[in-house]
Structures are given as C-alpha cells and as structure tokens.
C-alpha cells in the first residue's frame, strides 16, 4: 500500500473524502530551496461566503497538522505552526492555493484541503509533495500476452509500469469489440501488485472471461501525474496447433554381448555409490567420537575449576584463623 493510499484510508476514518474538492494532479515535485504552489478547487455546491477552507499537512506516522486556513469569504490565507515564515495562501474564484518557499525535506508530505459540512470535516484526495534534487521520470510500460485459460474459465491480462518517479500511476483498461465499439472496463475484476526491489514495479492485472478475450481487444492506459497517458494494446493470443510429433524411436533389443556390457556398467556404477556410503559412515563415526572427546574435556575443565575454588576457599579460612 502506497503512502497516498494509507493517508486516504486514515482520513476516511476521521471524516470523509469528497468530490467537492479537486486538484490538478496527485503529486508535485520541487527541488530543495525552491518554491512550490499547490492548488485546490472547490465546486459550486459550497457557499464560500460562509465556509472556511483549511490546508492540512500529513506526514507518515504523524498526526494531521493545519498549516493554513482561509476564513469565510477571505481571499488571503492565515498561516500556522512552523510554516508561518515560509507559507502563504491566495484565492482566485473557487481555487485556493498554498505556496511554500525555500522548500526543505521537512516539507515532503501529503497536503489536503478541508472544510466543515455540519459536524463532519470533508477532505480532498490530497497532493503528495516530493522534495528532491532530480526531476520526474515517466514510467516504462510493458504489456504481456494473455495468459492461458484457468480452471474457472477466466484469463488474466497484465500491464506493468516501472522506473517512474514519483512511483504513483493510474491504470485504465478499455475494450473494443468486433463492431468497433469501445468502453472502459470498470466492473471487471482488477488487481494491482507493487514490487519494490531495485526499482519500483506496479503491475495491473485484469481478469476477464475467456470468451471475451477471443472476441475483443484490450488496451491498457497508464497515467503518471498530469502527463498524457501512455496506451498499449495487449497482444492477442495465437492458438497454434502443432502437427503430430515425431514418433519416439523404439530401441532395438540388445544382443547378448551388449547385455553383458550393460551388466558390467551397472556394477561399476554401484561400486562408487557403496564407497560413498562407507565414507559417510566413517565421517559420522569420526564426528561422534570428536563430540565425545569435547564433552570429556569440558567436564575435566569444570572439575579442575571446582577443586581450585575449594582450595582457595580453604586457604582464605586458614589465613583468617591465623590472624585472629
């Protein structure tokens, strides 16, 4: 589970995440020491003249922290906490911005917009801010041929994204039937697997009926941030029927001379095996004898220590009685 997903799950427990907010993208990248502006738009169902808008920051393993808020109808934000000197907020129509200057590693976090709806605080989906010395890297996308039919009549399509930074992508599957009609696959079973070895690999698995694979084509689209999605069509499986295999040659019956030669070879093969068994047995006996000797040495050493201890104790008692 990614940090973004974990943060969203946490917010779902303390409030709710609503479509009343929208962000330009799921993440932002900024170099250390530079400035970065993040934006949050509120839909028309919110009465801004009577609603305050808040910006929160969430770091892994820490509680939510409010860094800025807009009073009801305000066009300028008020900063809080350690962000006082480096943060400022502005408003244009229904878009509320948070700008951080002289960004450092402590600013790397997920930032959320929030507002009160009755007794419930509503949060946005959030923007993940990455602080780095580099730049964004688009993913390398690979699609794989449809798997063989499973016992339940299902088949699996795979689409993998790797080598991207930040390591957040969105997969979308589309299908095209024989009549040319296309549609997004939302009801079909989709799974994602994340592997973090030398590079992060995220694989999307689409499980579909075998009959649909035969009649439709499938396209995997990978969205990375605000860049244009990359789309790839999965290769069609080609059912090939191999011709009849060559008959296995039948070995002719051996001659009497060949039979005698085979018996000799079998005896020669058995001899090394017997020799290996004897060698293992000898090594085992040697190991047991060596362990017994070690045990005896330890017992002898302990006995000597006990005798020396008693002797020293007796000498001390004798010296004590003489001094009296």
């Amino acid at each position: 589970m990614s940090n973004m997903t974990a943060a969203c799950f946490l917010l779902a427990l303390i409030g709710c995440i609503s479509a009343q907010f929208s962000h330009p993208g799921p993440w932002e990248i900024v170099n250390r020491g530079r400035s970065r502006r993040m934006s949050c738009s509120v839909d028309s169902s919110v009465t801004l003249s009577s609603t305050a808008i808040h910006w929160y920051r969430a770091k892994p393993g820490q509680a939510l922290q409010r860094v800025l808020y807009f009073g009801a109808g305000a066009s300028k934000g008020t900063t809080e906490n350690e962000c006082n000197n480096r943060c400022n907020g502005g408003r244009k129509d229904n878009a509320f911005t948070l700008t951080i200057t002289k960004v450092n590693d402590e600013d790397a976090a997920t930032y959320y917009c929030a507002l009160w709806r009755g007794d419930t605080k509503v949060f946005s989906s959030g923007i993940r801010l990455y602080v780095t010395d580099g730049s964004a890297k688009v993913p390398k996308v690979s699609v794989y041929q449809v798997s063989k039919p499973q016992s339940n009549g299902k088949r699996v399509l795979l689409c993998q994204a790797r080598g991207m930074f930040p390591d957040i992508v969105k997969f979308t599957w589309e299908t095209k039937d024989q009549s040319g009609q296309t549609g997004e696959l939302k009801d079909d079973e989709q799974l994602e697997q994340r592997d973090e070895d030398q590079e992060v690999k995220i694989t999307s698995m689409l499980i579909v009926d075998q009959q649909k694979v035969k009649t439709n084509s499938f396209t995997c689209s990978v969205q990375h941030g605000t860049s244009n999605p990359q789309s790839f069509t999965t290769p069609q499986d080609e059912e090939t029927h191999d011709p009849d295999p060559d008959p296995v040659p039948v070995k002719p019956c051996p001659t009497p001379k060949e039979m005698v030669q085979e018996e000799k070879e079998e005896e020669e093969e058995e001899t090394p095996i017997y020799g290996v068994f004897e060698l293992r047995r000898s090594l085992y006996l040697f190991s047991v004898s060596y362990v017994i000797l070690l045990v005896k040495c330890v017992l002898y050493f302990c006995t000597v220590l006990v005798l020396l201890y008693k002797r020293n104790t007796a000498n001390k008692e004798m010296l004590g009685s003489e001094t009296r």
Side-chain angles (χ1 to χ4, degrees), residues 11-277:
L11 290 174
L13 297 177
I14 62 176
C16 65
I17 298 176
S18 173
Q20 293 175 330
F21 292 104
S22 62
H23 295 288
W27 47 263
E28 294 280 354
I29 293 181
V30 59
N31 291 338
R32 294 177 180 86
R34 304 296 294 273
S35 299
R36 175 59 62 187
R37 176 180 297 174
M38 293 171 285
S39 176
C40 174
S41 298
V42 184
D43 65 25
S44 58
S45 65
V46 179
T47 305
L48 296 176
S49 60
S50 59
T51 305
I53 304 297
H54 311 263
W55 274 97
Y56 282 89
R57 174 166 61 191
K59 294 182 180 181
Q62 298 184 18
L64 284 172
Q65 181 185 47
R66 190 171 73 169
V67 294
L68 183 143
Y69 68 92
F70 294 83
S75 59
K76 186 177 181 181
T78 302
T79 57
E80 289 187 342
N81 300 308
E82 72 272 9
C83 203
N84 280 329
N85 299 326
R86 297 187 299 109
C87 297
N88 62 79
R91 172 190 171 186
K92 183 178 180 181
D93 297 329
N94 66 334
F96 295 81
T97 60
L98 168 64
T99 303
I100 305 176
T101 60
K102 299 179 180 179
V103 173
N104 56 50
D105 292 337
E106 293 297 322
D107 298 318
T110 304
Y111 292 82
Y112 301 92
C113 283
L115 58 81
W116 283 101
R117 276 294 195 193
D119 297 332
T120 303
K121 178 163 281 191
V122 180
F123 289 85
S124 68
S125 58
I127 299 178
R128 180 68 184 271
L129 181 64
Y130 290 88
V131 180
T132 179
D133 293 327
S135 57
K137 294 181 180 179
V138 297
K140 299 177 182 178
V141 180
S142 301
V143 292
Y144 298 91
Q145 192 172 6
V146 181
S147 67
K148 294 182 179 180
Q150 301 179 1
S151 58
N152 57 359
K154 301 287 186 177
R155 305 189 74 171
V156 181
L157 289 77
L158 299 178
C159 182
Q160 184 183 86
R162 67 186 189 279
M164 57 280 182
F165 180 81
D167 52 4
I168 301 175
V169 293
K170 179 183 178 181
F171 291 93
T172 303
W173 287 92
E174 293 183 349
T175 182
K176 183 177 181 181
D177 58 21
Q178 293 178 339
S179 63
Q181 294 183 351
T182 60
E184 184 177 348
L185 297 174
K186 295 182 178 180
D187 298 332
D188 294 76
E189 186 175 358
Q190 299 184 35
L191 302 173
E192 283 192 15
Q193 179 178 338
R194 182 185 183 91
D195 298 321
E196 298 185 2
D197 296 328
Q198 295 181 354
E199 65 175 2
V200 176
K201 299 178 182 178
I202 303 178
T203 304
S204 175
M205 294 170 280
L206 178 68
I207 303 175
V208 296
D209 293 328
Q210 179 179 353
Q211 187 62 32
K212 185 182 290 187
V213 172
K214 294 181 179 180
T215 58
N216 295 14
S217 62
F218 297 87
T219 301
C220 172
S221 298
V222 180
Q223 178 77 41
H224 185 244
T226 57
S227 61
N228 294 328
Q230 302 182 58
S231 300
F232 298 88
T233 301
T234 58
Q236 294 291 330
D237 61 333
E238 299 179 358
E239 297 183 359
T240 57
H241 300 278
D242 295 334
D244 293 337
D246 296 334
V248 179
V250 179
K251 185 177 181 180
C253 295
T255 61
K257 184 177 180 180
E258 292 176 343
M259 294 176 62
V260 174
Q261 183 66 24
E262 290 180 358
E263 291 178 357
K264 290 183 179 181
E265 291 178 355
E266 290 177 358
E267 292 177 358
E268 291 177 355
E269 291 177 356
E270 291 178 357
T271 301
I273 297 175
Y274 179 78
V276 171
F277 175 78

